[in-house]
Each structure stands twice: as C-alpha cells, then as structure tokens.
Amino acid sequence: MRALILVMDSVGIGAAPDAAHYGDEGADTVGHIADACMAGKADSPRRQGPLRLPNLVALGLGEACRLATGRVPPGLEAPPKHSRFGCASEISKGKDTPSGHWEIAGVPVPFDWGYFPQTVPCFPDHLLKELCARAGLPGVLGSCHASGTEIIAEFGEHHIRTGEPICYTSADSVFQIAAHEESFGLERLYEVCGVARRLIDPLNIGRVIARPFVGTSADNFRRTARRKDFSVPPPEPTILDFAANAGRDVVTIGKIDDIFAHRGTGRNMRADGNEALFDATLDGLGSLADGGLLFANFIDFDTLYGHRRDVAGYAAALEDFDARLPELLNRLRNDDFMIITADHGCDPTWSGTDHTREQVPILAWNAQSNPPVGRRAGFAHIGATVARHLGLPSPRHGAHF
C-alpha cells in the first residue's frame, strides 16, 4: 500500500471562482492549448493537429475540465475509463508554487505573502545595500520585475564582467538571483541566496530562488537545472511531516524538497526536465517501501512553456507526459493510490508571463471502483485523502473523498 502525488506544474483547467480578483477571469491553460491545437496554431516539428492526451483523458481529464468550465476541450472528449476525477479551486491567497503545493499537502495559506512593487527599482535600497555588504558583492543588476530568460540575456554579459548578480522578481512572492555558474560560482550563488533569505524574512517573501546559468553571451545563455529555492517552511505540519514522523518511506522528486523547506521530504531525487523527472519517479516508485509516500513535481510545463507563453511547446510537453503514463500505471499495485493534479495555472495564451489563478484537475487512480471526486473547494482534500489511504493522522484541513 503506497501513495503517489504527481503535480503537473501549472496545468490549470479553467479560471477559479475568484480569478477576476487576480486579473485572470477567463484563463484556461488546458482549454486554450486544446483550442489552439484544434485550430492548427500549435503545430510544430514536435507535434501537429488536435491535442492528444489519451491516458490523461482515460483518467478523467476531459470530464474534470467539464466540471471546471462547463465544456470538454477539443480532442479530450473520449469517456474516462476511471471514475475518480474532479477539480478543485484553491483557497490560499495568491497563485504561487508554495501555496499550491502546501495546500495539496493539507495546509492552506491563510495569510498574504509579501510582494515587491511594479517599480524600477523594485527592491528597497536598504535591502540591496545590506545584501551587498553581508555577501561581499560589488553591486547588483536588475532590481525589477522580469522574465528570467529575458533579464539574463539583457544583463548576463555585464554580470560576467563585473561580478554583480542579477536580482529580479515577478508577480509571485519571490526574490530571484541569477548568476553564472562558472564566473560567479554555484556555491557562492547559494551563499548569497542564503544571506538574502535571512534579510527578507521580515518582508514575508515566500522564496529566494537561485537561478544559475551558463553560456558566453546573450545568444547562448541558458539556465541550468541547479536552481535552488530557499523557502520558508509551511506554517503547520503537512502530510509529508505526518509520514516522516510515522517512520514511513518518503521520496520526493524535483523541487518538492525546496518547496517544503526540506521538512519531511525524505529522499529527494533531482533531475533536469520532465523526461528525467519521469525516470526519477519510476525509480523512486521502484524503491518506495510499503506504506510510503512519493511526491513529484514536473516543472517544464510552467518554466519552459507557461511563463514563456509557448503554446506549441506546452502542448508537446503535455503529450510527452501523457505518452509515458502507461509506464507508471503498469507499475502500480492493486492497493496503491495515485493522484495527478496541479498547483495553479500558467495559461500560455494569457497576457504577461505570470501564473494564472485557475482550478486544477484531480485525477485519482486505484484498483477499486469509487464515486467521482466532483468539485472541491480547496486542494487540501487531496492531502486528507492520501493521509486516509496511508493510515496517517488527518490534516486539520480538507476531507477525504
């Protein structure tokens, strides 16, 4: 008896009830990608034609979209083979990664995160001066809201010449620091981020993110997989804590350990990109002890395609993920339980480059026939259900389905 939670990072299925408050009324990551595919606007050398996700559809993705928006996106109309599907809207404030994952794990975020203003500079002068003094920096570049790839292209060469790291933020509660792995040094970047983490704690900022990159010029700079998040810990115990405290085997895949500030995250398996993350998930499942919990994040949907508003790339990534699902399903035991979900949206057809406030799918697999999940207010029902399956203490929030 084991449990798995797979988070398709940013794969939202339609605007949340409060989306208008965030400027996201009408956002629909999966629906708009499917529309673009049907119209031939997402054709590329990697894929052509309607969006094809037969395995996710068999798990109920199309019908989960119907619950969320009232329609099944084109190409996802086939009837599900499993009845345990539903959708959920987030009750935490914000539309960021930590809030979504913490709520999935049973802990909604009831408070407002701190954010940096849409000004240039966006960071307080005293904060940057203290960061430079404590970290021994000659200065910093950026201090603005920006796309990570664009700001590295803009300032990367200057950074290499001067040793000044690139500091920027987004609509999320983040302080991001980009630096060249070789000229600046990866460990030094992590040390600077650690200093920044301590300095911004009073501002209630959710994450400091180290964004290492390589390359020699703006033409070939690229970010690497050695990103590291310096997060504040969840305000209450999550199902990861419950599992770890009960002596259960816990395996986390990708950035889950960073998101939960390395609390209760067990054996973490890092990998570069969705394909390698899927390989790590299969390896992690193969070594997961009875009674254990595997928690995985698949990051490419968000970072490579959602934020970059790459509809064709996002569609191809969804199809690639779908094509590998049988490998995982064939390795599940009759008493295992798996949920595939998301943490927010990042509609690649939307304006800007930020996350979108959306409902998420709940696609649950087990060998038993059970009632549908239906529409849920809050992601914490996922954590409560996983805790129930594993015989762990019930989180304070959510009810098992």
Side-chain angles (χ1 to χ4, degrees), residues 104-306:
I104 288 169
V107 181
V109 178
F111 54 81
D112 286 314
W113 293 106
Y115 298 92
F116 294 108
Q118 288 274 3
T119 58
V120 180
C122 66
F123 301 129
D125 185 60
H126 68 86
L127 172 63
L128 296 181
K129 286 182 178 178
E130 191 68 16
L131 176 63
C132 290
R134 295 195 187 187
L137 300 172
V140 300
L141 303 169
S143 189
C144 59
H145 284 246
S147 158
T149 53
E150 292 175 1
I151 200 168
I152 289 171
E154 180 179 358
F155 291 111
E157 294 178 13
H158 188 173
H159 156 71
I160 292 173
R161 289 195 306 270
T162 64
E164 298 172 311
I166 305 166
C167 299
Y168 62 103
T169 189
S170 71
D172 288 348
S173 180
V174 292
F175 186 102
Q176 304 189 75
I177 306 178
H180 197 275
E181 282 196 7
E182 296 166 0
S183 66
F184 191 85
L186 185 62
E187 291 305 319
R188 188 181 179 210
L189 172 59
Y190 293 160
E191 291 170 3
V192 172
C193 288
V195 173
R197 175 70 269 171
R198 294 187 290 274
L199 289 175
I200 67 171
D201 277 346
L203 303 179
N204 200 31
I205 302 299
R207 289 179 292 167
V208 174
I209 305 178
R211 293 286 195 176
F213 66 96
V214 295
T216 57
S217 70
D219 295 331
N220 58 28
F221 287 142
R222 64 174 181 85
R223 297 193 295 192
T224 73
R226 286 171 285 278
R227 158 188 171 158
K228 187 173 183 179
D229 292 25
F230 296 74
S231 303
V232 294
E236 300 176 28
T238 70
I239 57 170
L240 288 167
D241 295 307
F242 293 143
N245 292 339
R248 303 296 182 84
D249 192 18
V250 176
V251 174
T252 51
I253 309 296
K255 66 177 185 177
I256 294 295
D257 62 337
D258 283 348
I259 294 170
F260 289 88
H262 307 271
R263 200 180 76 191
T265 52
R267 294 179 286 130
N268 179 251
M269 303 173 70
R270 289 275 177 168
D272 186 1
N274 278 2
E275 285 292 323
L277 288 165
F278 210 104
D279 290 338
T281 298
L282 295 177
D283 291 343
L285 178 62
S287 64
L288 187 66
D290 189 51
L293 170 62
L294 184 148
F295 201 156
N297 172 280
F298 293 85
I299 193 173
D300 285 0
F301 303 116
D302 188 49
T303 58
L304 295 186
Y305 309 114

Side-chain angles (χ1 to χ4, degrees), residues 54-119:
N55 298 300
L56 287 167
V57 168
L59 290 170
L61 178 60
E63 291 304 315
C65 292
R66 189 198 302 275
L67 286 173
T69 67
R71 68 156 185 150
V72 177
L76 310 186
E77 299 93 348
K81 297 180 181 178
H82 303 273
S83 62
R84 305 216 70 186
F85 58 83
C87 64
S89 53
E90 188 173 4
I91 63 174
S92 297
K93 298 178 180 180
K95 49 182 179 178
D96 53 83
T97 295
S99 297
H101 282 77
W102 293 0
E103 190 168 320
I104 288 169
V107 181
V109 178
F111 54 81
D112 286 314
W113 293 106
Y115 298 92
F116 294 108
Q118 288 274 3
T119 58

